[in-house]
Amino acid sequence: MNTLTDNQRQTLGRIGDSLIPAALGMPSFTGAEAQGEMVDHVLALRPELLNDLRRALDGVAADEDAASATERLNREDPEALGAIGLVASSAYYLMPGVRAIMGYKGQEHRPASADEEHDYLRDNLLQAVVDRGPIYRDPGVE
Amino acid sequence: MGETAEVLIIGAGASGAVAAKHLSEAGVRVVCLEQGRAVTSDEFYGDKPEWELMSQRLWHPNPNVRGLATDYPIDTSESDVNPLMFAGVGGSTLIYAAHWQRFMPSDLRVRTLDGVADDWPFTYQDLEPFYDFMDEEMGVSGLAGDPAYPPMTPPPLPPMPIGTIGRLAAKGMNDLGWHWWPAPQAIPSRAYRGRSQCVRRGTCMQGCPEQAKASTDLTHWPDAIANGAQLITGARVREITVNAAGLATGAIWIDRDGVEHHQKAEKVIVCANGVGTPRLLMLSGGDRFANGLGNSSGLVGRNLMMHPYAATVGYFDEPLDSWLGPAGQAIHSMQFYETDKSRGFVRGAKWNAMPTGGPLGMRSAYGGAPLEEAWGENLRRSTQKRFGHSFEWGIIAEDLPDPDNRVVLDDTLTDSDGIPSPKIIYRNSENTEKLIAFHLDRQKEAMEACGASSISTTTLMRDCGWHLMGTCRMGNDPETSVLDQWGTSHDVANLHVLDGSTFVTSSGFNPTATICAIALRSVLHMIETRAEQRTAS
Ligand SMILES: Cc1cc2nc3c(=O)[nH]c(=O)nc-3n(C[C@H](O)[C@H](O)[C@H](O)COP(=O)(O)OP(=O)(O)OC[C@H]3O[C@@H](n4cnc5c(N)ncnc54)[C@H](O)[C@@H]3O)c2cc1C
Ligand code: SF4
């Protein structure tokens, strides 16, 4: 079952591109093809966003310019625009191609090696702190 | 349920777990009632790409955002800060960041040293052996010798690496001649007592998918259950019952089918946290204690402290891999912790240098920004500038007890069982505002010293009530406190409170090491004096 109609998805693509345009070496929202299955995946995990999202998309006429629709939604229905922003950016940053360009592998599995543990002792980074001595107030023991 | 428990514990979070383990180990018949359920590590999203998406709803720390039936909603309309927590086996430790901080000696002597608030009924030296013991039980990683503390027993595990962001922050602090130290964490740098080594996913605040972080569902509950403690989940307590002699006799609780039960008990220990505990005491007592159970002082629910949190983010040209965990802290600093009255305020704060998470988390930091700043080409520029290239110096600001900052019962809001919800009334004091302003200025200097190309600050984060303290304070005088130094009610001899409600002052430290040390001290005292105690039977 489609979570969005073709019209709604097209509108999401247009507004998504105005929020996430192609720039600085990164593709736009639809350039990354985030408006397809990834949006459905996001909505399957966060179904409570659907109402706001559909309301926002249905309120944009086919001939309304994306930038002005975004401005209008921001003024009139910020929650609805928030839903578009969250769904679009979530889907976008979940796209493997986008992550690859950003150099983000997701939250990594990178156990520390013993070598990393005490690097500040080996190069004396911590020594100055030790040399300055105690900094706590001692209220004494009654 | 017909059997009378020797001790009934309400709440299976940090303090409840410590109590259950040690009482059951001593052969005490323990029953624990917990409104939440047991959560397993495969439910957490930290090892899945959708982690950030789910952290904004299902694993959000604010129960009002999660909206789960196991939580109670909270009226925060009159509060500067939202209280944060989690309901389940392990309680809020399921989603805590595991900064494992001791108080400094001065924290327990605030009246003597600074002329404000009150001294605690015991000293740092009294607590020290229990801190040591808890370090072992939690598997704390850290480096001995921090000059912000008196000499102490080294923690059982070597420190987590401080990583790229910790080293960068430390260099800045060294240039300024300011204190820093590798941060102590209840996160195992090596596999420890059945828990895995931390793999630095940095998702600790949405649950650890690796079974590494020391949440009490892993550190304490398995032993407590093996010792014979009975843990009942989905059990929402609505009232602690009392007899004609004014002693606690147990509690009425509601199961997930809506059926009411009465659990009889000789003693009751409330471990429902700094909001849940005063709520429950105010719901209890009937006509005999019309003001709420154990509330002859009128202080149940008052003096709520939540550690208003402010932070400074620095942005750097070089890559810092600043999504790498642990999420909590790489290094900490107590340079400006102790009172210096020339600053125009008393008390201070701990700082923690922290990573800044994934790409989406950085997006949510823009909430409320004008459209053209938050989206479009600016999104590109800001993401490039921030993501992987920033770290945060956070401020745990000590807020002093103020009776007007309080938890009360809400007139209309209820939980899913129809039980009145708590309402929070909480305002930042002038002292706290000055303290935060001073610390933010110093943090800007620290960021500049380590070469930040730009800096941004958050003066008060609303979703920051991680630490819930003070609402059933301890003390020697029944007129000015709710509990004695062992967490026993001044009014009801077999009623005890062991969670963060007991705190006299908040310190500028994350509280759970101290909550657990106090719970352990009180429970061991309870076991030692078992024969002398008054009970309902
Ligand atoms: C996101 C986050 C990050 C944190 N990070 C840190 C940190 O880095 N370091 C630190 O020291 N602390 C941290 N904390 C705080 C820490 O989690 C708490 O201090 C600690 O868990 C408090 O222990 P407690 O026993 O007082 O209560 P909790 O752990 O909150 O447990 C209370 C339990 O009581 C149950 N309960 C409440 N009412 C009822 C009722 N009526 N019937 C039945 N059960 C009930 C609740 O469901 C809950 O499980 C953090 C907290 C959060 C939310
Ligand atoms: S950083 Fe370590 S403790 Fe935190 S979630 Fe990852 S593995 Fe668990």
Side-chain angles (χ1 to χ4, degrees):
Chain A
M1 196 195 74
N2 276 339
T3 45
L4 299 176
T5 64
D6 287 351
N7 274 348
Q8 287 168 338
R9 204 178 294 274
Q10 248 175 21
T11 310
L12 177 62
R14 288 199 300 125
I15 298 196
D17 281 349
S18 90
L19 296 176
I20 309 175
L24 302 179
M26 297 291 294
S28 68
F29 175 62
T30 58
E33 298 186 0
Q35 80 280 20
E37 280 172 22
M38 199 55 96
V39 160
D40 296 336
H41 179 59
V42 166
L43 289 170
L45 286 167
R46 297 284 305 273
E48 84 287 351
L49 294 170
L50 251 176
N51 274 347
D52 282 343
L53 181 68
R54 285 185 177 139
R55 186 175 73 248
L57 298 174
D58 290 344
V60 179
D63 58 355
E64 189 178 5
D65 166 67
S68 44
T70 309
E71 288 288 351
R72 181 179 56 72
L73 280 170
N74 193 38
R75 264 192 330 273
E76 293 171 6
D77 193 352
E79 279 193 4
L81 183 66
I84 299 187
L86 182 57
V87 170
S89 55
S90 300
Y92 181 79
Y93 287 123
L94 277 168
M95 294 303 290
V98 170
R99 289 184 168 214
I101 301 173
M102 296 177 86
Y104 178 50
K105 298 181 202 136
Q107 297 307 117
E108 287 178 60
H109 181 284
R110 210 196 285 181
S113 66
D115 264 8
E116 287 171 83
E117 258 161 28
H118 292 112
D119 48 5
Y120 42 79
L121 296 182
R122 283 194 300 277
D123 66 4
N124 279 338
L125 189 64
L126 190 59
Q127 196 54 44
V129 184
V130 176
D131 291 345
R132 282 193 299 271
I135 60 162
Y136 63 91
R137 285 186 295 174
D138 187 352
V141 189
E142 292 102 82
Chain B
M1 233 56 64
E3 222 179 296
T4 302
E6 199 173 335
V7 172
L8 169 63
I9 299 171
I10 300 167
S15 53
V18 170
K21 177 180 166 176
H22 289 278
L23 288 167
S24 59
E25 209 166 73
V28 175
R29 270 189 339 278
V30 172
V31 173
C32 176
L33 299 172
E34 164 56 52
Q35 65 181 352
R37 62 184 181 87
V39 176
T40 55
S41 57
D42 57 356
E43 295 180 56
F44 301 131
Y45 276 84
D47 55 352
K48 303 171 185 71
E50 298 83 1
W51 159 65
E52 279 191 285
L53 180 65
M54 300 317 281
S55 70
Q56 297 182 14
R57 179 83 181 183
L58 190 59
W59 296 105
H60 198 284
N62 183 341
N64 291 348
V65 174
R66 287 193 302 269
L68 299 174
T70 44
D71 292 314
Y72 47 82
I74 303 172
D75 181 346
T76 57
S77 57
E78 291 184 45
S79 177
D80 289 342
V81 167
N82 294 332
L84 309 175
M85 62 185 78
F86 197 84
V89 178
S92 307
T93 67
L94 285 166
I95 58 165
Y96 80 153
H99 301 214
W100 199 254
Q101 300 283 166
R102 296 183 182 201
F103 279 15
M104 281 158 75
S106 63
D107 287 321
L108 298 126
R109 285 287 171 274
V110 172
R111 162 67 59 184
T112 301
L113 292 172
D114 298 328
V116 291
D118 279 304
D119 289 347
W120 288 56
F122 44 75
T123 63
Y124 174 87
Q125 285 74 15
D126 292 328
L127 266 192
E128 200 176 3
F130 305 98
Y131 277 133
D132 288 351
F133 204 96
M134 284 312 307
D135 280 3
E136 292 286 333
E137 290 202 335
M138 300 301 273
V140 172
S141 301
L143 183 71
D146 188 341
Y149 289 98
M152 65 170 81
T153 312
L157 292 170
M160 291 293 296
I162 66 172
T164 314
I165 62 164
R167 289 184 61 83
L168 184 65
K171 281 180 186 144
M173 299 298 265
N174 278 357
D175 279 357
L176 294 163
W178 290 355
H179 170 263
W180 65 275
W181 201 258
Q185 334 218 24
I187 290 179
S189 55
R190 305 266 200 283
Y192 187 78
R193 297 191 182 176
R195 285 184 291 126
S196 320
Q197 178 190 12
C198 166
V199 300
R200 296 190 286 179
R201 285 195 190 277
T203 63
C204 325
M205 280 195 272
Q206 290 78 34
C208 175
E210 305 290 337
Q211 300 200 332
K213 187 183 78 170
S215 50
T216 57
D217 57 323
L218 302 178
T219 54
H220 286 73
W221 275 111
D223 288 340
I225 287 166
N227 294 336
Q230 192 187 355
L231 171 59
I232 306 175
T233 55
R236 181 172 269 140
V237 177
R238 75 161 174 77
E239 186 180 341
I240 296 164
T241 50
V242 278
N243 64 14
L247 290 170
T249 54
I252 300 171
W253 61 276
I254 305 169
D255 69 21
R256 289 313 86 209
D257 295 321
V259 179
E260 266 195 17
H261 306 260
H262 184 235
Q263 174 64 55
K264 288 186 270 177
E266 293 172 18
K267 277 190 203 98
V268 175
I269 306 183
V270 196
C271 295
N273 84 29
V275 171
T277 290
R279 173 200 187 210
L280 190 55
L281 295 184
M282 287 187 266
L283 286 166
S284 307
D287 292 341
R288 189 189 169 98
F289 300 98
N291 218 2
L293 193 59
N295 196 18
S296 64
S297 63
L299 292 172
V300 168
R302 292 199 178 263
N303 296 303
L304 173 67
M305 297 171 280
M306 291 199 277
H307 283 160
Y309 185 81
T312 305
V313 178
Y315 308 97
F316 298 84
D317 297 332
E318 64 267 36
L320 305 177
D321 287 2
S322 50
W323 54 81
L324 198 65
Q329 52 180 357
I331 65 172
H332 67 193
S333 172
M334 272 75 94
Q335 179 64 32
F336 302 104
Y337 191 89
E338 298 280 22
T339 296
D340 174 347
K341 286 189 177 153
S342 71
R343 296 173 190 151
F345 59 87
V346 288
R347 311 301 300 154
K350 180 201 77 164
W351 295 7
N352 28 253
M354 316 172 70
T356 45
L360 202 56
M362 293 305 292
R363 296 283 327 118
S364 58
Y366 286 98
L371 202 57
E372 63 281 8
E373 275 176 36
W375 295 101
E377 293 210 7
N378 279 325
L379 162 69
R380 295 298 183 208
R381 272 189 282 279
S382 53
T383 307
Q384 200 171 64
K385 182 174 118 185
R386 290 153 208 259
F387 171 67
H389 290 263
S390 56
F391 82 87
E392 174 174 315
W393 265 124
I395 296 168
I396 307 282
E398 172 161 358
D399 50 338
L400 289 165
D402 174 348
D404 288 338
N405 284 339
R406 61 196 189 275
V407 178
V408 296
L409 293 179
D410 199 75
D411 293 335
T412 49
L413 194 65
T414 67
D415 63 24
S416 58
D417 293 307
I419 304 168
S421 273
K423 173 178 178 159
I424 308 295
I425 300 170
Y426 179 93
R427 296 285 174 241
N428 254 346
S429 71
E430 198 186 328
N431 191 71
T432 309
E433 274 165 15
K434 286 184 183 161
L435 186 158
I436 288 177
F438 171 88
H439 279 260
L440 285 174
D441 284 345
R442 299 293 80 70
Q443 287 194 336
K444 276 187 232 155
E445 291 163 18
M447 281 295 183
E448 278 158 12
C450 61
S453 55
S454 61
I455 296 168
S456 69
T457 54
T458 307
T459 47
L460 174 66
M461 204 153 92
R462 195 175 159 80
D463 265 334
C464 79
W466 301 292
H467 307 153
L468 307 169
M469 302 161 287
T471 46
C472 296
R473 66 198 330 231
M474 295 186 295
N476 295 324
D477 181 352
E479 287 193 9
T480 56
S481 58
V482 177
L483 310 166
D484 71 9
Q485 64 157 317
W486 307 107
T488 304
S489 161
H490 288 306
D491 301 348
V492 181
N494 66 342
L495 175 70
H496 313 265
V497 174
L498 296 184
D499 55 43
S501 316
T502 60
F503 280 28
V504 179
T505 53
S506 69
S507 85
F509 288 113
N510 320 61
T512 313
T514 304
I515 291 175
C516 290
I518 291 173
L520 180 63
R521 177 175 183 268
S522 303
V523 157
L524 295 185
H525 177 260
M526 189 182 280
I527 293 165
E528 268 168 33
T529 55
R530 203 168 166 185
E532 304 148 31
Q533 287 158 17
R534 276 184 76 195
T535 66
S537 61

